[in-house]
Amino acid sequence: GFGADIGMEKFFNIKCRYSGLTPQCVVLVATVRALKTHGGGPAVKPGQPLDPVYKQENLELLGAGCCNMQHHVRNALKFGVNVVVAVNKFATDTENEIALVKQKAEEAGAIAVMSNHWALGGAGAIDLANAVVETCAKTRADGNKFKFLYPLEMSLVDKITKICVEIYGADGIKLEPIAEKQLEQYEKQGYGNLPICMAKTHLSLSTDPSLKGVPTGFTVVVREARASVGAGFVYPLLGKIMTIPGLPTRPGYYNIDLKPDGTIVGLF
């Protein structure tokens, strides 16, 4: 799934701001395999066999990758929300690996729970559910301390910079000439108080999908900036990211049907 630097940040700064929702808990899902990739493991490619390192115990590789999870935990805590790390267990994960991930999560300030729903279904997630209920109850008892990362009164450039530095860990941003011109135009048109919806790769905290773990010493290049005024946000395009094309006027599902004998037609 997407890292918390994308989904969580947008949900908090955009969705919660417009809806008035105040989250009581963040559930951060972590897997041993994903953390091993952030520790320097071989690339995982669709259609190719998984490297044995992801199926065998390797605490050194796993430990090196836990920094990425810890970064996401600390990001969530910046919003004043308590974090429960759900260690999503798979059949090849060892007890030592699960214990290490839980330890690293707790060191970053989270509560960590192993969830075995992959093997046991709902029954395997009971401990996780209880941890979430308890964390939410504690938040209500202590008083909700949720806060936004930035005020809307900040300039568009400053809001973009705030996200890049505070959430991604960048040194700063670089505006391409067209992006600088677009942002200036939006400010003049009265849209400078809109929140920011970043368009960025989900494969890295940086804009380079190949940089795993917690990259440092990088600058985020803002290639372009577009305004979705009706939706209520400005979305900068970072690095080489591309947006998804819109749907056609006649979606493909119109051509799909089910015959009386159960045969599906129109898929190809």
Side-chain angles (χ1 to χ4, degrees):
F2 291 174
D5 55 307
I6 298 182
M8 182 193 72
E9 182 274 314
K10 294 178 181 179
F11 182 83
F12 284 170
N13 283 319
I14 302 175
K15 182 69 174 182
C16 290
R17 199 187 299 264
Y18 280 126
S19 67
L21 294 171
T22 52
Q24 299 176 5
C25 174
V26 166
V27 178
L28 184 70
V29 181
T31 66
V32 168
R33 290 181 181 179
L35 293 174
K36 283 180 177 178
T37 66
H38 282 291
V44 177
K45 299 180 180 179
Q48 296 187 14
L50 198 63
D51 191 280
V53 73
Y54 295 113
K55 301 178 182 180
Q56 301 167 357
E57 183 175 287
N58 190 320
L59 299 179
E60 182 179 358
L61 190 64
L62 176 61
C66 282
C67 61
N68 181 270
M69 171 189 64
Q70 291 177 319
H71 186 92
H72 288 301
V73 170
R74 289 191 290 267
N75 276 346
L77 294 175
K78 289 179 181 179
F79 291 90
V81 185
N82 293 321
V83 183
V84 174
V85 170
V87 186
N88 188 5
K89 185 179 187 300
F90 288 89
T92 54
D93 299 341
T94 69
E95 293 303 317
N96 288 334
E97 289 178 324
I98 296 295
L100 179 58
V101 176
K102 291 174 64 176
Q103 174 193 331
K104 294 294 185 180
E106 291 167 355
E107 288 176 0
I111 296 169
V113 181
M114 186 272 286
S115 184
N116 199 19
H117 53 276
W118 182 84
L120 303 178
I126 290 176
D127 288 344
L128 171 60
N130 287 332
V132 172
V133 170
E134 292 169 5
T135 299
C136 290
K138 184 178 184 302
T139 298
R140 292 192 297 270
D142 295 344
N144 199 314
K145 299 179 176 61
F146 174 70
K147 58 186 178 181
F148 301 118
L149 184 69
Y150 54 79
L152 292 180
E153 293 73 25
M154 289 179 69
S155 69
L156 294 173
V157 172
D158 286 346
K159 283 182 278 198
I160 294 169
T161 302
K162 184 80 170 178
I163 296 172
C164 291
V165 173
E166 292 289 329
I167 302 299
Y168 307 157
D171 289 343
I173 70 170
K174 177 185 176 184
L175 296 174
E176 294 288 5
I178 186 172
E180 186 174 6
K181 182 178 180 181
Q182 290 167 327
L183 291 170
E184 288 177 354
Q185 183 65 30
Y186 300 149
E187 293 277 4
K188 291 178 181 178
Q189 292 174 326
Y191 304 136
N193 63 341
L194 292 178
I196 303 298
C197 185
M198 295 291 213
K200 182 185 82 73
T201 178
H202 63 285
L203 298 173
S204 173
L205 286 165
S206 72
T207 56
D208 183 347
S210 67
L211 297 180
K212 304 302 182 183
V214 181
T216 57
F218 65 93
T219 299
V220 172
V221 176
V222 182
R223 190 177 82 247
E224 190 178 341
R226 301 173 185 171
S228 292
V229 178
F233 54 75
V234 171
Y235 65 102
L237 274 59
L238 309 183
K240 297 180 180 180
I241 195 70
M242 298 184 68
T243 53
I244 301 174
L247 293 174
T249 55
R250 180 181 172 81
Y253 78 86
Y254 277 116
N255 302 321
I256 301 173
D257 203 356
L258 187 66
K259 289 186 175 181
D261 63 358
T263 302
I264 300 174
V265 296
L267 286 175
F268 305 102

